[in-house]
Amino acid sequence: MISTPDETDESDGTVRQPTDDGGPTRRAYLGSLGAIATAGATAGCIELATGEGGGDTTEFTAGTFAHEGGHCMDCVSPSPGWAISEALEDRSDGDVQMSLLGENQVCDSSTCGGKAERGIVEAGYGSIGNGTNFWPENNVWLLPYTFPSRAALSYTLFDERIWEQYWVPFAQRYGIVPFYGWTPELRNLLLSPDATEIAGGRVRTPEDLEGIRIRRTASRPPKVALEEWGATAPELSWGDTVQGMDTGVVHGLETWSGVGLAGGMGEVMDQVTLVEFMCGQGVMWASTDWLQGLPADHRELIADVTRELTEEAIQQADEVIDDRVGHDDPPPEGTDYAEQGITVNVLEDDELEAWRERVDPMDNPELYETERERVADLDLDVPTEDFYEYIYEIARESDVPESAADVTVDAWWGEYLDRI
Amino acid sequence: MIELSPELALLLLTLLCAALFVLGVQIFLVFGLWAVGFHALSPGFPVSNVSVLAFSELESFTYVAIPLFVLVGDLINRARISEEIIEFSRACIGWLPGSTGNTSIGCSAVFSAITGSNAATTASVGKALHPVMDREGYDDSYAAATIASGGIVGTVLPPSVLLIVYGVMYGVSVPDMFIAGIVPGIAILIGLVVVNTALSQRHDYGMDSSEFEFQARRVLKTAWEAKVGLGTIVILLGGIYVGLFTPSEAAAVAVFYILLSAVALGKITRLEQVVSATFTSLLLIGVILPIVVVAVAIQQNLSYLGIQDAVSEAILSLGEPWLIILAMMVIMLATGSVLASVPNIALTVPLLTPAAMELGLDPVTWAIIFIISDAIGFITPPYGLNLYIISGITDIDYMEVTYEALPYLAMLIGVWSLFFIFPELNVLA
Amino acid sequence: MTESNAAVSAIDRFLTGARDGDLRTSLERYFEGYVALVLLAVVTVLVFVDVVNRTLRGTQFVWGLEVIEGLFIWITWLSAAFAVRHSSHLRFTLLREQWSARRNYVMYWVEWLLWFVVVGTIFWYSIPELERSVEAGRIVVGTSIPDTLFYLAVPVGTALILLRVLQEIVHVTRRYRSGESISPDASIELEERSFASDAGGADEDVVADDAPAADAADGDAATVDADSGGENR
Ligand code: NA
Ligand code: NA
């Protein structure tokens, strides 16, 4: 849908209906001729972008729901997309042109990934969660408490072993690769004033969720986790969620803070509970056919730029949370949570354990058999018993940096294209 | 052979589609050809996109409200509850000069608050009241113009199918838009009544209005008799405003309510009445939503080609707010006049929204301003749907009705400008 | 009170026909309509039950939203085909009404061609989409319903539209040759015209909205919405 903004997120698939988050910048609003007269006047002076790498130039289109006002590199939910587009143009002297169409102009979170896979656009956004709509194997990344930190998430996702043993077979099956990544986060519970009322104050334990309805996306693991905790978990679009938190249709949602704030949830939130339970990772996916068909120098430049800026986005993860979002109790002055008067529940270790133990895949393997079986179909060649264990172990290696600021991206799609 | 540049091909395609529209080709096909042709001209953006949209654009819970609202309106018709609504409207404003004219305008407001559809309203009010106005000495073209103009109230006054389409396309809260439509909707209603009262007095149209003396008792009595219809409004709008229901849920509840009460009161006695009401509502869905799909495909192509950037930057480059407002108004009047409403919403809104945001409007207020312009397009030639409907019903020449509608048009443009220039007037937005 | 409402009497006749065993006629006229009607009834009940459940018990079907949206896509495309059968697709016929049958007939061919270009394109590219959705094998959460069943609405619905267009080609051509009026009409209402090939020559040709303003007196606002052209509802 054309819609606007916010849809955001993650949501796997569900987010079909865009909605507004009210912010003015929300739509890039390209659009239409509208009147025939206008068409006549402008048709003569536009250049048709063909999206093909003809001759010396490479032009391509990437579609996303994101808007520059909430998702620039200095924003509350950083995406390197606009910076990549600029860097490509600068470093190629204008020979490589990435047209990043945001705000659902050509597709939204539930359709962009599919459109990239089908070659309708060269690249399309979908969080790991959204993408499960088309690529159900990716559910394996969404099992709760797989990643102990934001640093561990990025470290694992873009590790050399994972490229070889997961993204390459994945690309062979679907014809797409992760093209660049957003700043990583972990998912939390964003709750409305109604939730506060029902819980009689702060939500700090799973018991507090009784009688609370939390919007979930279409992917299965978050549904499992929410229900294990005792919440009701209806599926809703992002837009309906904003309205629904206002009217009491739902009392909250699970997502990552940055995307929630960029998507207008701040206005309908009262508190956030930092359960940090699942991967919150925005990804731009690109068609491998298209990448393989590019002139080598352009392809190398695109690989370099996307890698460098993804790394830059990852390295600011902790700063984003501390200085822009405000995950502290009370949230530091100047952060979004402070400005919007939102209560932040930072959990003590024993409190967090109460959330973790009910849904952790290592303690409750039976809950996630579907996801593990699904990924087993890819016949991945890994040294552990199953692929999930493999990523679980990598995420806990001693080499995982303390801080996301120290994560480096050492392996990238450019090196694997010839194996796909 | 001359080689066509893509730009020229695009221009020719656009002209071809305009010609096909004038030649009476179905609007879905006109815009469908434009969409398919656009894709063909941008090889990087393949036409398979349309087949994806044919699914993904329709995947919306909110759209479910459309057939259900229309079904409610149709059941009300078939149960002949609309006659009670006419009597109620007459009791309320029938005592003014131009009694039946005002009744038809008021009736449009009430009726459209039930069906959410202005064209349905125009047709039913026209069939019921045009002959009456004719008998009472109104100029018949003027009577037709009055009904056509009254029919646009429903687009702005909630619930409104076009507000739903706008909300789904641009992610604006439909309940918020419904609330924001109330004040401008009532302002439009009052404006139309003022015009009709003044003109009827001047031309001595209609029966002696003293026949319809205002009596509070009569208002109450007719309101009681129209309780099923009015009760539907309470459920539909009340449930949404209180935050109890989403629009789709309110519509489903209203369907059950109207069925139960109409059957209980003996107003619907045969299954066929329900079946044929549902068929009408299905036909409507089958007409509108495919147009949504192809209109969105065109919008995505325009985005893809970057055409809109040029246009929206040009508007913003005017700098002065009053110049921007003027340019926007000219564009809205022009596109509203030539385009059908759904394509107008899909194609024109993205063009103007950056400027609207620059002017400091919030998305909901802006949505209503745009929808008023879209509604005005129902009585502007060349493509004025309401004029066209009423001219079909009454057999009066299209241009004659258009001419008689000019005073109403002037009033509507006035009300619209007020809400655009002084957006704070819309206190509920 | 005269039941001049043509649409209602069409149903009456249809039901009578069905009772007499003429099921074929009724299926010919209302096939997509009946299927969509059943689906719309299911959707309405689901929405209703869901809202009652939520309000009274605070629970909802986990699969409710997805199923409702999926069925709605079926309803849309079935209804689009239904609207072809009943010549309801919105258009601007001011010029065409004044045209000769011959000119109109030529224009019909342009339209038929366009149906195949536009809807044929959607149909054609919906097949690979369908295959993809089969491969992805997504299941509606909390059920065993494959998502593919919902996507199937696009190829099936567009194919039905093309079938209805073929039917119209035969029908309009027959009417044109026998000198009957073929002026296009875009009222959104049921048409009574029989398309049955064995109707024995002359079709009935009663167009539902033939008698507009006249019935106003008896309050027949019913089919009304019909002409409404509805795009704007
Ligand atoms: Na309305
Ligand atoms: Na118009």
Side-chain angles (χ1 to χ4, degrees):
Chain A
M1 345 207 103
I2 314 193
S3 54
T4 31
D6 33 148
E7 36 222 316
T8 263
D9 133 282
E10 55 181 354
S11 16
D12 338 352
T14 356
V15 185
R16 304 153 175 158
Q17 166 177 344
T19 42
D20 114 43
D21 56 3
T25 45
R26 303 269 280 132
R27 224 185 116 94
Y29 309 85
L30 290 190
S32 93
L33 294 185
I36 292 148
T38 325
T42 48
C45 50
I46 47 142
E47 256 179 61
L48 294 180
T50 59
E52 283 165 355
D56 304 328
T57 61
T58 292
E59 290 176 0
F60 68 99
T61 301
T64 174
F65 77 93
H67 52 107
E68 205 169 355
H71 301 281
C72 64
M73 281 295 255
D74 299 326
C75 292
V76 71
S77 182
S79 156
W82 285 274
I84 288 171
S85 173
E86 240 171 76
L88 286 175
E89 183 161 0
D90 286 352
R91 285 165 60 174
S92 68
D93 286 329
D95 286 348
V96 178
Q97 303 262 355
M98 165 175 168
S99 150
L100 179 60
L101 299 179
E103 307 183 48
N104 301 336
Q105 287 179 75
V106 291
C107 51
D108 62 31
S109 295
S110 61
T111 56
C112 281
K115 284 192 180 183
E117 184 185 347
R118 292 156 179 76
I120 293 172
V121 287
E122 284 79 13
Y125 172 85
S127 67
I128 297 276
N130 284 133
T132 59
N133 203 4
F134 315 104
W135 319 304
E137 289 80 2
N138 278 347
N139 271 307
V140 76
W141 297 100
L142 297 175
L143 269 45
Y145 298 106
T146 302
F147 304 103
S149 66
R150 294 182 284 274
L153 167 57
S154 299
Y155 175 89
T156 312
L157 208 55
F158 301 124
D159 183 84
E160 189 183 343
R161 290 159 290 176
I162 296 298
W163 277 106
E164 287 182 10
Q165 282 144 16
Y166 185 80
W167 293 123
V168 167
F170 177 85
Q172 284 165 345
R173 169 169 286 198
Y174 293 115
I176 41 144
V177 282
F179 185 53
Y180 61 78
W182 289 24
T183 297
E185 275 196 50
L186 295 172
R187 288 166 182 260
N188 292 309
L189 302 178
L190 280 49
L191 302 162
S192 74
D194 283 352
T196 306
E197 199 170 300
I198 294 170
R202 292 181 177 226
V203 171
R204 297 188 71 100
T205 68
E207 286 70 30
D208 294 333
L209 284 185
E210 193 185 332
I212 290 181
R213 288 191 292 275
I214 305 223
R215 174 267 191 173
R216 63 172 173 85
T217 61
S219 59
R220 207 188 72 100
K223 167 186 182 288
V224 172
L226 287 167
E227 289 179 353
E228 287 296 314
W229 287 333
T232 313
E235 180 190 343
L236 219 57
S237 74
W238 186 267
D240 285 345
T241 306
V242 180
Q243 288 166 34
M245 282 169 67
D246 224 5
T247 58
V249 171
V250 289
H251 311 116
L253 79 164
E254 50 88 11
T255 190
W256 69 92
S257 292
V259 86
L261 288 166
M265 288 297 170
E267 295 162 32
V268 292
M269 277 172 75
D270 184 53
Q271 57 173 318
V272 55
T273 302
L274 304 182
V275 295
E276 315 252 279
F277 78 122
M278 232 169 58
C279 136
Q281 176 68 57
V283 179
M284 181 65 76
W285 306 90
S287 144
T288 50
D289 283 348
W290 165 67
L291 289 172
Q292 286 161 341
L294 289 174
D297 54 335
H298 289 175
R299 186 171 56 233
E300 278 157 29
L301 174 68
I302 295 171
D304 286 348
V305 168
T306 50
R307 191 192 58 76
E308 287 162 24
L309 283 155
T310 298
E311 190 175 86
E312 200 178 299
I314 293 169
Q315 291 178 349
Q316 48 172 297
D318 295 349
E319 184 227 320
V320 167
I321 288 299
D322 297 340
D323 302 344
R324 302 183 203 170
V325 173
H327 275 189
D328 206 347
D329 187 9
E333 214 172 297
T335 61
D336 271 32
Y337 277 152
E339 277 173 16
Q340 310 212 36
I342 291 160
T343 305
V344 178
N345 297 294
V346 181
L347 303 177
E348 304 296 335
D349 285 351
D350 57 325
E351 286 176 313
L352 198 54
E353 185 56 22
W355 294 89
R356 195 198 59 75
E357 66 178 8
R358 302 193 189 189
V359 299
D360 190 298
M362 287 304 170
D363 300 344
N364 311 275
E366 73 287 353
L367 293 178
Y368 310 100
E369 272 165 23
T370 316
E371 285 69 31
R372 290 170 161 215
E373 279 167 20
R374 185 80 212 198
V375 79
D377 286 351
L378 277 179
D379 272 333
L380 303 173
D381 179 24
V382 291
T384 51
E385 195 185 316
D386 70 10
F387 182 70
Y388 179 72
E389 252 172 71
Y390 191 56
I391 60 179
Y392 189 91
E393 282 172 15
I394 293 178
R396 282 163 183 74
E397 287 178 348
S398 56
D399 284 353
V400 175
E402 271 301 286
S403 162
D406 301 320
V407 173
T408 53
V409 176
D410 302 320
W412 204 237
W413 52 260
E415 299 146 47
Y416 302 100
L417 277 180
D418 50 0
R419 311 214 324 234
I420 294 167
Chain B
M1 278 297 278
I2 303 171
E3 202 174 308
L4 273 185
S5 74
E7 294 81 3
L8 186 58
L10 192 58
L11 179 62
L12 291 179
L13 172 68
T14 306
L15 294 176
L16 171 67
C17 290
L20 290 172
F21 169 74
V22 172
L23 292 176
V25 169
Q26 290 88 338
I27 286 171
F28 167 65
L29 294 179
V30 170
F31 286 94
L33 179 68
W34 210 14
V36 169
F38 253 133
H39 274 294
L41 291 172
S42 13
F45 195 36
V47 70
S48 54
N49 188 41
V50 187
S51 302
V52 174
L53 296 177
F55 182 81
S56 66
E57 274 309 300
L58 302 174
E59 225 176 354
S60 159
F61 181 65
T62 311
Y63 276 151
V64 173
I66 298 178
L68 298 183
F69 278 141
V70 175
L71 179 58
V72 168
D74 218 48
L75 286 171
I76 282 182
N77 258 331
R78 278 172 221 260
R80 303 192 180 277
I81 294 168
S82 40
E83 290 158 44
E84 302 159 359
I85 294 170
I86 293 175
E87 285 313 306
F88 171 69
S89 303
R90 197 182 278 277
C92 290
I93 49 176
W95 50 277
L96 289 166
S99 171
T100 307
N102 286 333
T103 303
S104 76
I105 295 167
C107 194
S108 293
V110 179
F111 198 76
S112 69
I114 299 169
T115 68
S117 152
N118 95 50
T121 305
T122 306
S124 42
V125 174
K127 285 185 181 179
L129 291 178
H130 187 266
V132 182
M133 291 176 77
D134 213 11
R135 277 199 301 275
E136 290 180 5
Y138 289 79
D139 174 84
D140 65 346
S141 312
Y142 172 80
T146 302
I147 291 162
S149 309
I152 84 163
V153 178
T155 305
V156 183
L157 209 60
S160 151
V161 167
L162 287 180
L163 285 178
I164 295 174
V165 169
Y166 188 109
V168 173
M169 278 192 188
Y170 300 106
V172 180
S173 154
V174 174
D176 286 356
M177 284 196 295
F178 280 5
I179 292 171
I182 295 176
V183 171
I186 291 175
I188 288 171
L189 176 66
I190 293 172
L192 295 175
V193 168
V194 166
V195 170
N196 176 58
T197 304
L199 290 177
S200 298
Q201 197 151 36
R202 180 178 333 151
H203 300 292
D204 205 18
Y205 287 150
M207 296 195 266
D208 188 354
S209 57
S210 62
E211 272 185 44
F212 297 99
E213 217 175 305
F214 180 81
Q215 295 173 317
R217 241 191 69 226
R218 189 149 169 255
V219 173
L220 290 176
K221 181 168 170 279
T222 53
W224 175 249
E225 279 160 4
K227 59 186 177 297
V228 175
L230 298 178
T232 313
I233 300 181
V234 172
I235 290 184
L236 275 181
L237 299 184
I240 296 171
Y241 293 153
V242 172
L244 206 53
F245 310 137
T246 63
S248 306
E249 293 168 346
V253 173
V255 167
F256 277 93
Y257 168 79
I258 194 85
L259 277 178
L260 289 177
S261 48
V263 170
L265 295 172
K267 289 174 180 290
I268 288 183
T269 51
R270 292 172 308 139
L271 184 61
E272 298 93 292
Q273 288 173 293
V274 180
V275 170
S276 82
T278 310
F279 279 176
T280 307
S281 138
L282 289 172
L283 287 176
L284 185 85
I285 285 296
V287 171
I288 294 183
L289 289 174
I291 296 177
V292 168
V293 169
V294 290
V296 168
I298 294 166
Q299 173 270 327
Q300 294 190 346
N301 268 287
L302 292 167
S303 281
Y304 181 84
L305 298 176
I307 290 174
Q308 178 104 17
D309 264 343
V311 180
S312 74
E313 275 165 24
I315 297 169
L316 280 172
S317 72
L318 293 172
E320 294 286 321
W322 69 270
L323 267 177
I324 294 180
I325 290 184
L326 189 68
M328 289 172 76
M329 290 181 70
V330 170
I331 292 173
M332 283 189 265
L333 284 176
T335 56
S337 295
V338 299
L339 291 173
S341 348
V342 167
N344 190 28
I345 291 173
L347 301 182
T348 312
V349 171
L351 184 81
L352 300 179
T353 305
M357 298 299 114
E358 191 71 20
L359 292 171
L361 295 172
D362 70 84
V364 173
T365 309
W366 159 239
I368 299 298
I369 291 167
F370 184 83
I371 286 290
I372 299 175
S373 82
D374 198 59
I376 290 174
F378 283 112
I379 58 163
T380 55
Y383 183 60
L385 185 64
N386 285 9
L387 301 171
Y388 170 56
I389 290 167
I390 202 74
S391 132
I393 291 175
T394 59
D395 264 334
I396 298 169
D397 183 74
Y398 180 79
M399 287 316 291
E400 236 172 83
V401 189
T402 304
Y403 176 77
E404 290 292 337
L406 288 177
Y408 292 112
L409 182 61
M411 170 61 85
L412 289 167
I413 292 177
V415 173
W416 174 55
S417 314
L418 267 176
F419 280 100
F420 194 1
I421 298 166
F422 307 104
E424 59 278 7
L425 282 177
N426 192 351
V427 292
L428 293 180
Chain C
M1 173 180 78
T2 44
E3 189 52 82
S4 59
N5 181 330
V8 168
S9 69
I11 305 285
D12 284 343
R13 274 204 235 173
F14 150 62
L15 288 176
T16 316
R19 272 194 298 274
D20 298 345
D22 194 3
L23 203 61
R24 230 189 92 204
T25 310
S26 83
L27 284 182
E28 184 279 306
R29 286 185 193 172
Y30 309 111
F31 171 70
E32 298 92 339
Y34 273 107
V35 179
L37 181 148
V38 170
L39 297 181
L40 185 64
V42 171
V43 163
T44 311
V45 169
L46 283 180
V47 174
F48 185 76
V49 171
D50 227 17
V51 75
V52 169
N53 266 341
R54 190 188 70 222
T55 315
L56 302 183
R57 313 207 316 236
T59 63
Q60 276 177 294
F61 302 125
V62 290
W63 42 265
L65 190 77
E66 257 183 286
V67 170
I68 288 166
E69 290 179 351
L71 292 180
F72 187 72
I73 292 163
W74 271 102
I75 292 170
T76 300
W77 288 108
L78 286 169
S79 299
F82 190 46
V84 174
R85 168 60 182 83
H86 293 275
S87 347
S88 292
H89 279 279
L90 188 62
R91 49 161 79 185
F92 187 60
T93 54
L94 231 48
L95 265 186
R96 297 280 284 279
E97 283 158 9
Q98 294 150 24
W99 278 14
S100 67
R102 192 187 152 80
R103 267 175 143 189
N104 259 317
Y105 185 66
V106 172
M107 204 57 213
Y108 266 106
W109 272 105
V110 173
E111 290 167 10
W112 292 328
L113 187 73
L114 286 173
W115 280 111
F116 277 88
V117 170
V118 174
V119 177
T121 301
I122 301 177
F123 172 76
W124 184 257
Y125 289 100
S126 74
I127 302 299
E129 280 306 307
L130 183 69
E131 287 168 359
R132 231 177 267 268
S133 125
V134 172
E135 269 169 42
R138 199 168 166 266
I139 303 283
V140 175
V141 181
T143 69
S144 54
I145 307 169
D147 221 24
T148 303
L149 275 187
F150 296 142
Y151 190 79
L152 200 57
V154 179
V156 171
T158 48
L160 282 169
I161 290 175
L162 296 179
L163 283 177
R164 287 304 196 177
V165 171
L166 288 175
Q167 189 188 20
E168 191 184 73
I169 295 177
V170 173
H171 180 67
V172 170
T173 302
R174 195 173 331 116
R175 285 159 53 77
Y176 172 63
R177 292 203 178 135
S178 67
E180 292 167 66
S181 159
I182 56 165
S183 244
D185 143 53
S187 63
I188 302 194
E189 56 189 13
L190 301 174
E191 285 215 2
E192 254 203 287
R193 235 175 242 175
S194 163
F195 277 21
S197 49
D198 59 345
D203 300 321
E204 307 166 58
D205 251 318
V206 189
V207 181
D209 56 338
D210 270 349
D215 10 344
D218 60 329
D220 181 16
T223 8
V224 197
D225 351 52
D227 326 59
S228 53
E231 82 184 310
N232 56 323
R233 317 178 177 215

